[in-house]
Amino acid sequence: MEQVILNVEPREKTSKKFKEEGFIPAVIYGNASGEAQSVKIQEIALKKILSVHGSNVKLWVKCGEDKKFGFIKEIQRQPVSNKIRHIDVQLVARDKDVKIQIPIIFDGEEALKKVQLQLQIRKAFVDVFGKIDLMPDVIRVDVSKKDRNDTITFEEFKLDESLKSADKDDEVYGTVTSFIIEEEVEEEVKPVAAVAPVAEAK
């Protein structure tokens, strides 16, 4: 497994607003003391890690000479600009079982369209329980050769047999259905019947 290192620096958690340019505030959970640690991360370095490894990256968190293993648990973004405003990092022991939400990427949807089929995604992530070292950052599934009414279940993900799904046993993550092309239907214009004038009574 590639060793990804996230360098962090201590931050005063008493500060109500964090405006230090070039840094993003973060909180680290899972320290031996049981207390959350407030830190700051260089924005450029964080964005580089996310662009290469994605938001579910497993990494080493380094603060001074202290280095511990963990993963990014949550990323908070600005609603309009989508700019990162805060992240949560969870420290874990590499030999302990944890539950992590892993995103699913469905490959081959274009091939389905060529045979008038489409994939209906029901859930774009899976909750997995097991050792973090064995968990991929993302799960890729090839649906190009699927047929109508085929479903995508946990068995399709080809994970290590020690990893278990934390979802329902019968969880369906996607279903292949017929590709429906909506055609415009012109309304039939019915002729208006002519009404003869009624003669006035004399």
Side-chain angles (χ1 to χ4, degrees), residues 64-77:
E65 296 301 317
D66 187 28
K67 191 170 79 168
K68 296 179 180 178
F69 191 71
F71 63 95
I72 295 177
K73 185 176 183 180
E74 182 180 3
I75 299 177
Q76 296 177 18
R77 297 179 182 270

Side-chain angles (χ1 to χ4, degrees), residues 125-145:
F125 57 86
V126 54
D127 290 314
V128 179
F129 183 80
K131 289 183 172 51
I132 193 168
D133 270 0
L134 300 175
M135 296 187 185
D137 294 332
V138 298
I139 294 172
R140 306 191 76 100
V141 182
D142 183 9
V143 299
S144 61
K145 297 181 180 179

Side-chain angles (χ1 to χ4, degrees), residues 109-194:
E109 289 190 70
E110 289 301 317
L112 291 179
K113 291 180 181 179
K114 292 179 181 179
V115 290
Q116 299 297 303
L117 296 175
Q118 64 181 348
L119 176 69
Q120 291 187 343
I121 298 175
R122 298 191 179 183
K123 194 174 181 183
F125 57 86
V126 54
D127 290 314
V128 179
F129 183 80
K131 289 183 172 51
I132 193 168
D133 270 0
L134 300 175
M135 296 187 185
D137 294 332
V138 298
I139 294 172
R140 306 191 76 100
V141 182
D142 183 9
V143 299
S144 61
K145 297 181 180 179
K146 295 294 182 183
D147 205 348
R148 188 166 65 90
N149 295 329
D150 282 350
T151 57
I152 310 300
T153 59
F154 187 79
E155 287 72 22
E156 299 276 343
F157 302 149
K158 309 299 182 185
L159 300 179
D160 187 277
E161 61 181 12
S162 67
L163 298 177
K164 306 300 180 183
S165 171
D167 293 330
K168 296 183 298 183
D169 292 339
D170 58 348
E171 188 76 61
V172 173
Y173 301 90
T175 304
V176 177
T177 62
S178 298
F179 189 77
I180 301 174
I181 302 176
E182 294 184 358
E183 298 181 355
E184 293 184 3
V185 180
E186 296 183 3
E187 284 189 23
E188 183 181 353
V189 180
K190 295 182 180 180
V192 178

Side-chain angles (χ1 to χ4, degrees), residues 44-93:
I44 293 176
L46 176 62
K47 285 183 175 180
K48 184 177 180 180
I49 289 175
L50 294 177
S51 66
V52 175
H53 303 281
S55 60
N56 275 53
V57 58
K58 297 178 285 292
L59 39 72
W60 289 93
V61 182
K62 188 175 182 181
C63 186
E65 296 301 317
D66 187 28
K67 191 170 79 168
K68 296 179 180 178
F69 191 71
F71 63 95
I72 295 177
K73 185 176 183 180
E74 182 180 3
I75 299 177
Q76 296 177 18
R77 297 179 182 270
Q78 296 286 356
V80 178
S81 65
N82 205 38
K83 184 177 180 180
I84 300 174
R85 64 181 183 184
H86 188 276
I87 74 167
D88 290 342
V89 179
Q90 179 72 48
L91 300 180
V92 295

